[in-house]
Amino acid sequence: MSSKTKNREVAYTRAIQICQNLARPTVYELIGGQILLPRKEEGASLRPRPLVLLPVVDEPSAGAVKAVAKIETTFVAIQSTLDPEGDPQIEFTVLSPENGETTRHGKLRGWCDRAHRIFLVPDNLGNEDTSVCFQFDKGLRKAPQPWADQADCSRGLALAKTLLLATDGEGADKRHG
């Protein structure tokens, strides 16, 4: 097996682990490793649109982008890479249906508030100019900027990264407080 193939497999496995860690604190349950559906106890009146967490090694394909508009389901693509120092990084891309088209918000990072709620926020170092933030709250919804200042922003980014990369189940358990 080539080094490139091995690296892609490790990145994909890490992306699946992030999906699982992200699923635990939401009102969803993990089905087949990717699809999240409302838990039965949440009731039909609270049913959000279906949400798919999609572990990826590369950017979401054109087919995935077309599928979002066609099936009217929001996809959150989760990609794990290594920075130049070899530390794992997490990047999210939200693909959501809007008026028969797909809206794409890329270069997002995980952020966690003191109540351990998970948000997706713009990567200030990324190339995309977006100020849209999202919160996992009975679905994925747009939210205002969740941090108060730069120190709070840094704290929340570090906490989310730690929780989402946890491999022993501990990270997800700590989010419930």
Side-chain angles (χ1 to χ4, degrees), residues 1 13 22 43-44 61 72 82 101 103 108 127 141 153 157:
M1 177 183 303
T13 300
L22 186 57
S61 68
E72 297 183 357
L82 298 177
E101 300 289 325
T103 301
L108 300 172
N127 295 327
R141 64 177 177 82
C153 179
L157 291 171

Side-chain angles (χ1 to χ4, degrees), residues 75-156:
F75 281 60
V76 178
I78 300 163
Q79 182 178 19
S80 180
T81 59
L82 298 177
D83 67 15
E85 291 79 37
D87 295 324
Q89 301 300 312
I90 308 167
E91 184 176 302
F92 298 89
T93 300
V94 174
L95 302 171
S96 55
E98 194 170 298
N99 301 325
E101 300 289 325
T102 300
T103 301
R104 181 185 182 282
H105 297 280
K107 304 278 185 210
L108 300 172
R109 297 170 68 185
W111 187 89
C112 189
D113 68 6
R114 294 188 187 276
H116 293 151
R117 295 177 297 184
I118 301 289
F119 292 78
L120 299 180
V121 300
D123 179 358
N124 295 334
L125 304 174
N127 295 327
E128 293 199 18
D129 183 24
T130 181
S131 60
V132 176
C133 298
F134 297 91
Q135 180 182 357
F136 288 96
D137 179 26
K138 295 184 178 143
L140 184 69
R141 64 177 177 82
K142 289 184 180 178
Q145 175 181 303
W147 61 87
D149 54 36
Q150 190 56 43
D152 189 33
C153 179
S154 296
R155 178 211 49 80

Side-chain angles (χ1 to χ4, degrees), residues 5 17 25 43 45 57 82 116 157:
T5 301
Q17 182 65 47
S45 64
V57 176
L82 298 177
H116 293 151
L157 291 171

